Amino acid sequence: KHLEPAFGKKPINEISRPDIKSFIFKKIKAGMSISRAKRIKATLSGIFSHAVEDGLILANPAARLDKFLNAKDQSLSNEISPYSAKELEIYLETGRSHFAEHFPMFLTLARTGLRLGEALGLQWGDIDFRGEFIEIRRAGVNGRLTTTKTGKTRRVDATPLLLATLKSLNQRRKEQTLKNGWGEVPEWVFVNQDGKPLDPGNVRGRVHYKACEKAKLRRVRIHDLRHSYATIRISAGHNIADVSRQLGHASIKITVDTYYHWLPSQHTGEISELDEIGKARNNPQPSRSKKEQGATD
């Protein structure tokens, strides 16, 4: 699917290291995750290793590219490409209409700012419908549980629409349990057709990116839904300390540094006054004599 179209017609001894880097870069730019690009690179490297053993080439051009991929991973992770409020609503409406089974997860990410792993690690006991909040206790990564990124639990507020959607999902899970003979309702909030935790790679590639395409929106990472939550709130003038708390940042400084460009300008009027202050200093009013001051008084 990936290697043969790019390299299948080229003699193996003519495939260079720059060719491989260019191939990987194009795949990542098109939306492929770094982890998947690494797996494809590993397959390609294995082919070249056999060619070296057979004496067809002198060295493996795909070897030792992890440093390049890790640097690319760090570069991409620092990029922020959030949806605007309007774009996000288009994305959610597309999810509701065409990806109904996954819409509750889309809405959870968009309305809470959770990381994907935190959403996949949610259990029904983490949701307090009466208190209107969700407790973030763990993260699901590649089928295993880990702590949150900071190692701490936190509470995030849930909107009325999100709570209603999750209640409806809980009822549907009970119906699915009876229909599929699962025995008991899966403890995980978001599951696949077998009642097992969702695979993050499948969520990104088979659901999220297809939703972006179906909505005719620019293709962003699923992590940018978290950034969308933050930038929409900050741009609206919401309390940045509360936004920081909900995101689970270790300090408000991280939030400010990350989303500085989305902070509303609250001091435009004060900045404009600098021009007037400068004029006053450049053109000082003539001082009045004591006699003039007395007459005026």
Side-chain angles (χ1 to χ4, degrees):
K1 182 178 179 180
H2 298 286
L3 297 179
E4 191 169 343
F7 303 110
K9 295 182 180 180
K10 196 168 186 178
I12 197 167
N13 63 340
E14 293 182 8
I15 300 173
S16 67
R17 193 174 182 83
D19 290 337
I20 298 169
K21 282 188 174 183
S22 176
F23 161 75
I24 293 173
F25 177 75
K26 287 178 181 177
K27 290 295 180 181
I28 294 172
K29 191 175 181 181
M32 179 179 287
S33 67
I34 295 292
S35 60
R36 191 176 185 192
K38 284 183 177 180
R39 292 197 295 271
I40 291 174
K41 189 276 301 180
T43 302
L44 187 61
S45 183
I47 294 171
F48 283 117
S49 292
H50 282 293
V52 171
E53 292 173 3
D54 293 342
L56 299 176
I57 55 177
L58 296 176
N60 182 347
R64 298 183 300 280
L65 280 178
D66 284 348
K67 185 176 181 180
F68 162 74
L69 282 167
N70 290 336
K72 181 62 66 178
D73 191 14
Q74 184 62 38
S75 173
L76 289 174
S77 66
N78 290 333
E79 293 180 6
I80 296 177
S81 183
Y83 279 148
S84 66
K86 183 176 181 180
E87 288 174 321
L88 186 60
E89 288 311 304
I90 293 173
Y91 174 88
L92 291 175
E93 282 303 315
T94 301
R96 188 199 300 273
S97 302
H98 301 281
F99 302 88
E101 188 63 30
H102 296 286
F103 171 71
M105 180 186 63
F106 289 162
L107 187 65
T108 299
L109 294 171
R111 293 291 187 262
T112 63
L114 295 187
R115 301 174 179 90
L116 177 60
E118 293 173 340
L120 298 184
L122 284 179
Q123 297 180 356
W124 288 111
D126 300 329
I127 304 173
D128 189 323
F129 289 103
R130 180 171 296 181
E132 301 182 346
F133 65 83
I134 301 173
E135 193 91 23
I136 312 304
R137 300 188 175 111
R138 70 194 76 77
V141 180
N142 297 326
R144 59 186 179 83
L145 290 179
T146 68
T147 61
T148 60
K149 187 173 182 179
T150 61
K152 300 177 181 179
T153 62
R154 72 180 189 279
R155 288 183 178 183
V156 298
D157 299 324
T159 67
L161 175 60
L162 177 57
L163 289 169
T165 301
L166 292 176
K167 278 185 180 179
S168 178
L169 177 62
N170 184 257
Q171 180 59 38
R172 193 158 73 247
R173 283 283 181 270
K174 294 175 182 177
E175 295 169 0
Q176 288 176 314
T177 299
L178 290 174
K179 180 180 179 180
N180 298 326
W182 288 341
E184 58 183 20
V185 177
E187 60 184 340
W188 309 102
V189 176
F190 306 116
V191 297
N192 59 23
Q193 294 179 343
D194 298 321
K196 305 297 182 183
L198 288 170
D199 176 78
N202 288 340
V203 171
R204 293 187 185 94
R206 299 181 183 180
V207 184
H208 168 68
Y209 287 135
K210 288 184 178 180
C212 295
E213 182 179 353
K214 189 71 175 178
K216 297 181 179 179
L217 293 169
R218 55 198 169 84
R219 182 167 171 160
V220 302
R221 301 165 304 166
I222 199 166
H223 192 71
D224 283 311
L225 297 182
R226 172 176 166 86
H227 292 316
S228 300
Y229 164 87
T231 56
I232 289 170
R233 287 199 62 188
I234 290 172
S235 297
H238 291 190
N239 187 303
I240 195 167
D242 181 64
V243 175
S244 181
R245 176 185 63 81
Q246 298 244 136
L247 291 172
H249 284 168
S251 71
I252 193 172
K253 182 179 183 302
I254 295 174
T255 312
V256 173
D257 289 346
T258 304
Y259 303 110
Y260 173 79
H261 294 295
W262 283 270
L263 288 170
S265 179
Q266 299 175 347
H267 306 292
T268 304
E270 295 177 7
I271 293 297
S272 299
E273 289 177 9
L274 288 175
D275 290 337
E276 300 305 318
I277 294 172
K279 288 178 182 178
R281 289 180 177 174
N282 291 330
N283 302 290
Q285 294 296 320
S287 58
R288 294 180 298 168
S289 66
K290 291 184 180 180
K291 182 177 181 181
E292 290 175 326
Q293 291 177 12
T296 303
D297 294 341

